[in-house]
Amino acid sequence: LGNHCFCRGSSALREDCLGVCQGARDPEFSKNWSETSLQKDVGAEVQPFCVTRWLSEGDLISLDDGASQGSDALEVIYTPGHTPDSISLYLSAEHRLFTGDLVYPGNLYLFLPGSSLPEFEASITRLRRRWLAAAAIADDDDDDDIEEGRGGGAGPGGGARRAHGAVGPVMSCGHNESDLAFGTLSELAHALPAARSGQVVFQKTSVSWFTDELVAVQTPTFRVLCRPSDLRQSG
C-alpha cells in the first residue's frame, strides 16, 4: 500500500486493506510505530493500525488462493538497514524483487530511527550473493554479467535466470521506480567500502527536518545519507 495509506486523509487502508503484514525480525520496533515512524518530523499523522500477520524469513504470501503453494507467491526476504524490520518480497514467477524502502534511485536515508549502515550493507551483499551464487558468478566479477544473464548454475536463481534471461531480478522500488536493474546494487557494494577507506570522498549535507550533521555517498543511481560516525563504525 505504501506510506501514504497510513497518513491522515487517506481512506485506502481502511477500505481496501485485507490485512497488515510486517517482518517479525524486530516486532518491538514495529509495534512502537508512534515513536519510530517519521510522522512527527515530516508533519504527517499515522492512522492507528494493527499487524494481522508477522512475516518470517522464507514465508510465502500467496497471490492466488486457488493456485498451488509457491507457484504464484511472494517470498519474504529479511533486508534490514532502512529499519530493523525491513523486508523485500521476491516474485519468482516474474523474476522481480520488491525492495520497499531498502533501495530506490535518489536519496537513501540511513540516519533514521532504527537505521543501520552495517545491516544495510549486509542486506545488499546478501541479495547480490544469492543471485550471483545461483549463476556461478564470483562476487567481484563484471556486474554486466548480472544484468545480461551470463554464467551457468542451477538452483532457484538459476532457474529464474534461464526463464527470464537475466541473473538478478528486476527490482521494483517503493517510491519511484518500477523497473530498476539489479546490477545497480554493485554501486553500493563498491562505493560504501571505498568511502570508509578514503578512496571516495563523501560530502557534508543536511536535510531540512533533521538537525544532526550528515554526509552523502554519491553513486550514479543512489545517494546514501548517513552520519559521519556511521562510515567509521561500519567497517
Side-chain angles (χ1 to χ4, degrees):
L1 287 172
N3 298 338
H4 302 290
C5 292
F6 290 91
C7 295
R8 178 176 51 199
S10 173
S11 60
L13 180 64
R14 295 187 298 274
E15 294 177 356
D16 300 328
C17 185
L18 300 178
V20 176
C21 300
Q22 284 193 246
R25 183 176 181 271
D26 192 340
E28 292 307 312
F29 178 89
S30 305
K31 292 175 182 177
N32 193 30
W33 56 264
S34 61
E35 297 299 324
T36 59
S37 75
L38 295 180
Q39 59 175 343
K40 297 177 182 178
D41 297 297
V42 299
E45 181 179 336
V46 177
Q47 297 279 355
F49 67 95
C50 178
V51 175
T52 57
R53 179 180 174 184
W54 292 98
L55 301 171
S56 298
E57 172 81 17
D59 278 356
L60 296 177
I61 304 171
S62 177
L63 300 180
D64 183 356
D65 292 337
S68 59
Q69 182 72 9
S71 62
D72 189 10
L74 296 166
E75 175 193 349
V76 176
I77 304 172
Y78 282 170
T79 50
H82 175 72
T83 60
D85 57 354
S86 293
I87 63 171
S88 296
L89 299 171
Y90 176 57
L91 181 60
S92 61
E94 296 184 7
H95 198 35
R96 182 174 296 275
L97 183 69
F98 297 91
T99 65
D101 285 342
L102 178 71
V103 292
Y104 47 86
N107 290 336
L108 300 178
Y109 299 112
L110 289 170
F111 56 87
L112 307 175
S115 294
S116 168
L117 187 60
E119 289 191 340
F120 175 80
E121 289 190 79
S123 292
I124 298 301
T125 298
R126 183 176 177 224
L127 291 175
R128 293 183 73 240
R129 285 180 176 171
R130 168 171 171 162
W131 277 280
L132 288 171
I137 299 174
D139 196 29
D140 57 356
D141 275 359
D142 186 344
D143 287 289
D144 287 343
D145 289 344
I146 303 174
E147 295 182 82
E148 295 179 14
R150 293 191 290 268
R161 177 190 62 78
R162 288 188 297 274
H164 296 273
V167 175
V170 174
M171 298 189 297
S172 291
C173 307
H175 288 287
N176 57 10
E177 180 58 60
S178 61
D179 295 296
L180 183 66
F182 188 79
T184 57
L185 294 185
S186 67
E187 298 175 19
L188 298 167
H190 299 151
L192 292 173
R196 282 198 303 273
S197 66
Q199 298 175 37
V200 171
V201 177
F202 49 81
Q203 300 175 333
K204 291 184 179 181
T205 189
S206 63
V207 295
S208 60
W209 42 269
F210 192 76
T211 57
D212 292 359
E213 179 184 355
L214 298 173
V215 294
V217 179
Q218 184 74 56
T219 79
T221 306
F222 310 105
R223 185 169 181 257
V224 177
L225 277 66
C226 63
R227 296 177 177 85
S229 59
D230 293 335
L231 286 174
R232 294 192 293 268
Q233 294 173 359
S234 61

